[in-house]
Amino acid sequence: MVMQCEPIDRCISALKAERDYDEVIFTSPDGERFDQHIANELSLKGNLIILAGHYKGIDQRVRDHLITREISIGDFVLTGGELVAAMITDAVVRVVPGVIGDEQSALSDCFQDDILAAPIYTRPADYKGWKVPEILLSGNEAKIRNWELEQAMERTKRLRPDLLDKE
């Protein structure tokens, strides 16, 4: 089963009659691979339409004439693109200024600089003999930032070396 052209066209046309849209995105396994850079880019757009694929997809004419961008979240197929649309929405919205209380927090998340985040710790400094690294207790912000960068790079090399191979 394929989603038909006419109802999709009518829906998108009705939405566009109310306001301008910067992108009409179709969730598709053969779209470009979604990542943090795309989330950041989309967060700067005014309005987005995300069309969630379902069944075998949508009529190719919709893709050819109405869709401005196709996005995939990976090399696998789901029963529908609704979860993909929700994931894209969440990743985009959280980097829109004002959405998260601490905007700097979103800018220091994993993948913002193509590396994983450093390990994080809370209080107490010693729990069951499990200790927070001494450098984090030093109060020396420059040394802490350097340690965090070193840890992030080490974790990225170990867990996701593919991130470092990007050009």
Side-chain angles (χ1 to χ4, degrees):
M1 184 179 279
V2 176
M3 295 169 64
Q4 294 180 344
C5 193
E6 183 185 357
I8 295 170
D9 179 39
R10 286 195 343 247
C11 179
I12 291 174
S13 294
L15 290 169
K16 285 183 168 183
E18 295 176 10
R19 69 178 55 88
D20 291 328
Y21 286 89
D22 298 305
E23 295 275 5
V24 179
I25 299 166
F26 175 54
T27 62
S28 169
D30 51 346
E32 65 183 305
R33 179 78 60 95
F34 187 70
D35 63 15
Q36 190 63 49
H37 297 290
I38 294 172
N40 293 346
E41 176 191 336
L42 292 175
S43 76
L44 300 174
K45 305 280 185 177
N47 294 300
L48 306 172
I49 293 173
I50 303 177
L51 175 61
H54 208 78
Y55 309 115
K56 280 297 209 180
I58 60 173
D59 187 299
Q60 184 63 40
R61 293 169 290 183
V62 171
R63 294 170 91 165
D64 292 342
H65 299 284
L66 301 175
I67 302 301
T68 61
R69 191 170 202 167
E70 297 189 19
I71 294 179
S72 170
I73 60 163
D75 296 338
F76 53 91
V77 178
L78 301 171
T79 56
E82 297 83 3
L83 291 173
V84 179
M87 292 168 67
I88 292 169
T89 301
D90 190 74
V92 169
V93 168
R94 71 180 310 279
V95 291
V96 171
V99 171
I100 293 181
D102 180 5
E103 292 177 14
Q104 289 304 110
S105 175
L107 298 176
S108 65
D109 286 341
C110 284
F111 308 114
Q112 285 292 1
D113 296 318
D114 291 321
I115 59 174
L116 300 178
I120 55 175
Y121 297 89
T122 61
R123 292 186 173 110
D126 184 337
Y127 175 76
K128 291 185 173 182
W130 308 339
K131 298 184 187 284
V132 170
E134 286 296 320
I135 188 72
L136 298 179
L137 305 174
S138 71
N140 186 324
E141 291 298 320
K143 286 185 177 182
I144 291 171
R145 280 193 304 277
N146 188 50
W147 178 88
E148 288 173 337
L149 178 59
E150 289 172 0
Q151 292 295 308
M153 289 300 294
E154 186 280 323
R155 290 184 80 232
T156 304
K157 286 177 189 171
R158 181 170 41 88
L159 300 172
R160 291 290 308 277
D162 58 298
L163 293 173
L164 300 173
D165 294 335
K166 290 184 175 180
E167 296 192 29

